[in-house]
Amino acid sequence: MNLPRNRLETFMWVIMNYHGTWYTWSGDSPLGFDCSGLIVEGLKSADMIPRKSDYTADGLWRKFRHPSKRLDIPKPGSLCFWFDRHGIAVHVAVCINEDSYIGAEGGGRNVKTLEDAVKYNAFIKIRPLSSRPGARFLNIWT
């Protein structure tokens, strides 16, 4: 097994190892993550935020949104954010490359149990960026 050598590799290793874990609304543990809970777990593991931190998607956007971090074309490890019509970040995921992302999604507030996750196909999954247009990207690793 190759162990991560830096913060970005640690972050990606943690996120990728949760692939297939079920989504749960407000989840922030290996028993079930929501979108921001998954990202926060990876950031804590990579020592990018304090261990006792908790953020929403919009909180993560506000923390890292400095203009120097914005990207037109995502890189592996870039955070991808989607916004509502009021400009509030409502979803966050991680770019695997410039075409795909991994994130916890599906079902929203309706998902509280594993049975709900199965019903709504709500898991940590890999999807093409084209399946969810309108993302904005941040490279927090430079």
Side-chain angles (χ1 to χ4, degrees), residues 21-33:
T21 301
W22 65 288
Y23 170 98
T24 186
W25 180 257
S26 297
D28 65 354
S29 81
L31 297 176
F33 289 104

Side-chain angles (χ1 to χ4, degrees), residues 52-120:
K52 295 197 180 233
S53 298
D54 192 20
Y55 291 90
T56 63
D58 197 58
L60 289 167
W61 170 257
R62 292 177 185 282
K63 177 168 183 55
F64 293 113
R65 70 180 172 182
H66 191 274
S68 67
K69 299 189 179 296
R70 295 187 186 169
L71 298 171
D72 291 326
I73 299 172
K75 298 177 180 181
S78 301
L79 299 183
C80 341
F81 292 90
W82 289 266
F83 296 82
D84 68 11
R85 61 188 172 96
H86 303 292
I88 296 170
V90 294
H91 189 64
V92 61
V94 179
C95 294
I96 297 170
N97 55 41
E98 64 184 59
D99 300 313
S100 302
Y101 70 91
I102 184 169
E105 58 186 47
R109 296 176 194 268
N110 297 322
V111 181
K112 299 285 190 185
T113 66
L114 177 56
E115 292 75 23
D116 294 338
V118 170
K119 177 181 177 182
Y120 293 102

Side-chain angles (χ1 to χ4, degrees), residues 1 10 16 26 39 45 57 60 63-64 77 95 98 109 129 132 135 140-141:
M1 173 168 80
T10 299
M16 295 301 291
S26 297
I39 305 309
S45 297
L60 289 167
K63 177 168 183 55
F64 293 113
C95 294
E98 64 184 59
R109 296 176 194 268
L129 279 164
R132 194 169 187 157
I140 65 171
W141 307 103

